[in-house]
Amino acid sequence: MRPGDILLALLIGLGIWQALVVVTDAPHFILPSPWRVALAAYKSRVIIIENAWVTATEVMLGLLIGTLFGVATAIQLAMSKTAERLMLPILVFTQAVPVFALAPLLTLWFGYGMGSKIMMAVLIIYFPVTSAFHDGLMRIDSGYRDLSVSMNAGKWKFMRHIQIPNALPSLGTGLRLAAVYAPIGAVIGEWVGASKGLGYLMLLANGRAKIDLMFASLIVLACLTVILHIAVGIIANRLTRYAQGTSINHTP
Amino acid sequence: MTKSPGITLKGQHRVGDRVLFNADLNIAGGQWTCILGRSGVGKSTILRLILGLETGGTFSGSFVASDAMPLTGRISYMAQSDLLLPWLSVLNNVCIGAHLRGKVPDIKYARDLLHRVGLSGHADQKPATLSGGMRQRVALARTLFEDRAIVFLDEPFSALDAGTRAEMQELAADVLQDRTVLLVTHDPAEAARLAHQITVISAQATQNWPVPETTPLRGINAPETLLCQGKLLQYLRGGAA
């Protein structure tokens, strides 16, 4: 993605939006024009930034905690056959429960504050991170195992020096997915019950027929997600380049 | 280094109901023994068996070292694939055994070994920047770093081009002198150059093959090398009939 292309796509998007407003002649409380939304965003900038900050914090903490748990679980699964046999079915089963359905419960348990939203994000990314990383840990050339046995390597040393570095690109793949899911988790948590955050602000604006503010919040949320996506993409690329030993000569 | 022990292996290896091979193998201490045979006859299985690796079958019989000491921890292993870790520098790849055992590696020793295999200038590079031949040299240095009396080589040069392969054979013969080497290969020329002993293996039996009277390393185009190589090839082509 070149900056020029992004700018062009943005302009086209805005053009279509404006055209829709003109052609359908929709009232501003159904579909506000881009200009109206921009104005609303500017007027409510303080409240938007405050709430965006809350959502961003929830998402980041959710990502961090979820990744830590996911990585620890994947290593545990790869280290122990028993753990793998017992835990994999449980993991798959928990995936069958829609995490969204748990949102009211999480609010009940962890309260109206950030806690329940972070938990929501953690739960939603835990499985993708675990399964991607576990996959990477297990997908290893059996020659490395043979070599390690001939070198009298312990199981944990093999994990630390060979299996984990070898699985970093897979972890990157898991993180990319997580970056898309985590904001969804946080916002759904906010919809179910919150007094802060972009999800809350959207509901609030909707309730007061301030559709322009709702659009502004939505756009800020999208921007946050895109920034997160790009940042995590950079991290994932670095992990891959490190594992391939190509981090010095900068290949895109 | 204490004198390198020999190994005697006798027994039958089965995969399911099928007999993979009947082996009666005598690996002389401090010398190169080459195992030749057609693909799928279980050449590598012999190495894996003695190394204690998964073989996918069951072995009934025995293998013992000539000094009656356990073999575990006394054999280093080099395979066809170089198995270098792409994220580590060449130097750290040579030392990986120490890392895997949780020991502090002897960096000076590793650098000496890199010098011996002609790669002192590449210690800090990543494997991705090296050619196939250079990568296999690093693998050889890593094998030497283990400093074990017995070395198992599983077709280590078969993926290299002919010229590089000949160079690697010379280097390996030099640096592995006085160790007990068991080389699995499908290349009669390689066996004819390097072996003190040649064993041809088939499903029915293992057979000791006469080697030229000269001592290895033999010249690529020495008459005795070519004669031995030609006869071996003829035999292998005809199968074990």
Side-chain angles (χ1 to χ4, degrees):
Chain A
M1 281 201 290
R2 288 201 309 255
D5 293 349
I6 296 174
L7 199 67
L8 193 65
L10 210 64
L11 284 177
I12 292 174
L14 282 175
I16 293 174
W17 180 359
Q18 181 65 49
L20 268 175
V21 172
V22 172
V23 170
T24 60
D25 198 21
H28 64 81
F29 53 84
I30 298 291
L31 181 63
S33 69
W35 175 245
R36 238 174 202 289
V37 172
L39 214 62
Y42 180 74
K43 272 197 289 192
S44 313
R45 62 189 180 281
V46 176
I47 188 173
I48 289 179
I49 289 173
E50 265 175 20
N51 286 286
W53 175 249
V54 170
T55 303
T57 311
E58 290 161 2
V59 170
M60 298 289 277
L61 284 176
L63 258 182
L64 195 71
I65 298 170
T67 304
L68 286 179
F69 273 111
V71 164
T73 309
I75 291 175
Q76 184 56 44
L77 289 179
M79 288 286 280
S80 151
K81 276 266 171 291
T82 323
E84 196 175 6
R85 266 211 328 272
L86 292 177
M87 284 181 69
L88 268 187
I90 297 176
L91 271 176
V92 173
F93 180 74
T94 57
Q95 265 327 88
V97 179
V99 183
F100 310 123
L102 292 177
L105 206 55
L106 291 178
T107 311
L108 180 70
W109 288 343
F110 297 96
Y112 256 51
M114 277 190 169
S116 54
K117 287 84 204 168
I118 295 171
M119 269 313 290
M120 192 73 194
V122 167
L123 278 184
I124 210 167
I125 71 162
Y126 174 68
F127 189 75
V129 171
T130 304
S131 105
F133 193 44
H134 178 248
D135 216 45
L137 290 174
M138 300 316 283
R139 210 179 325 113
I140 188 151
D141 185 337
S142 64
Y144 287 119
R145 247 177 236 285
D146 298 343
L147 189 69
S148 308
V149 170
S150 83
M151 287 174 166
N152 308 358
K155 215 170 157 186
W156 171 242
K157 294 279 179 214
F158 178 67
M159 173 62 72
R160 151 142 169 40
H161 289 287
I162 298 182
Q163 259 178 307
I164 291 179
N166 181 66
L168 289 179
S170 305
L171 178 61
T173 310
L175 288 180
R176 279 177 204 268
L177 278 176
V180 176
Y181 290 154
I184 301 178
V187 168
I188 288 180
E190 288 170 0
W191 280 351
V192 170
S195 51
K196 283 193 183 85
L198 284 175
Y200 159 78
L201 190 59
M202 283 166 73
L203 282 191
L204 189 78
N206 193 25
R208 297 185 182 174
K210 288 187 173 176
I211 306 304
D212 43 7
L213 178 58
M214 194 179 155
F215 264 76
S217 313
L218 193 63
I219 290 169
V220 171
L221 179 64
C223 290
L224 274 184
T225 307
V226 168
I227 292 170
L228 187 68
H229 184 73
I230 293 172
V232 168
I234 292 172
I235 295 173
N237 277 339
R238 281 188 170 216
L239 290 176
T240 304
R241 283 209 304 271
Y242 170 78
Q244 290 170 345
T246 50
S247 40
I248 301 164
N249 31 348
H250 202 277
T251 39
Chain B
M1 200 186 329
T2 50
K3 190 171 172 343
S4 309
I7 302 171
T8 355
L9 175 140
K10 203 177 168 101
Q12 187 182 63
H13 193 74
R14 288 168 159 278
V15 179
D17 286 339
R18 193 168 66 90
V19 176
L20 189 61
F21 59 74
N22 278 303
D24 186 355
L25 191 64
N26 222 323
I27 303 160
Q31 295 197 330
W32 282 64
T33 303
C34 293
I35 300 185
L36 267 149
R38 309 189 106 189
S39 300
V41 81
K43 301 188 295 287
S44 301
T45 308
I46 294 184
L47 298 196
R48 300 183 63 85
L49 204 60
I50 304 177
L51 276 165
L53 300 175
E54 183 55 48
T55 59
T58 45
F59 178 73
S60 46
S62 65
F63 45 89
V64 284
S66 60
D67 56 8
M69 306 265 279
L71 280 163
T72 35
R74 289 204 290 168
I75 310 174
S76 63
Y77 170 63
M78 180 174 169
Q80 178 181 348
S81 152
D82 55 64
L83 295 175
L84 298 182
L85 300 168
W87 54 88
L88 292 182
S89 69
V90 163
L91 187 67
N92 277 320
N93 262 293
V94 173
C95 304
I96 184 69
H99 291 299
L100 285 173
R101 287 184 292 273
K103 300 268 160 55
V104 179
D106 184 345
I107 299 290
K108 194 185 162 300
Y109 180 50
R111 283 194 186 277
D112 284 351
L113 291 174
L114 276 178
H115 181 70
R116 276 183 84 184
V117 299
L119 288 175
S120 21
H122 301 274
D124 300 321
Q125 277 171 248
K126 295 279 167 65
T129 63
L130 304 181
S131 70
M134 289 160 97
R135 294 171 63 101
Q136 211 52 326
R137 279 166 195 248
V138 179
L140 183 61
R142 180 187 60 199
T143 310
L144 289 170
F145 183 86
E146 298 301 293
D147 197 23
R148 302 203 173 157
I150 308 169
V151 178
F152 281 5
L153 306 174
D154 192 356
E155 305 189 17
F157 315 130
S158 58
L160 303 175
D161 66 79
T164 313
R165 189 186 312 163
E167 277 171 31
M168 277 302 286
Q169 288 164 353
E170 282 147 28
L171 180 64
D174 178 35
V175 297
L176 293 176
Q177 221 165 31
D178 299 327
R179 289 175 211 248
T180 304
V181 179
L182 184 59
L183 169 69
V184 162
T185 178
H186 53 230
D187 178 9
E190 189 160 279
R193 287 195 81 192
L194 290 168
H196 292 91
Q197 293 179 86
I198 296 176
T199 299
V200 180
I201 161 166
S202 66
Q204 286 77 31
T206 46
Q207 179 187 351
N208 285 323
W209 190 267
V211 279
E213 302 210 331
T214 51
T215 53
L217 173 87
R218 303 180 189 94
I220 307 171
N221 50 3
E224 71 274 15
T225 313
L226 294 174
L227 188 68
C228 176
Q229 166 186 348
K231 281 187 172 169
L232 268 171
L233 183 58
Q234 209 168 24
Y235 178 78
L236 290 169
R237 274 187 63 182

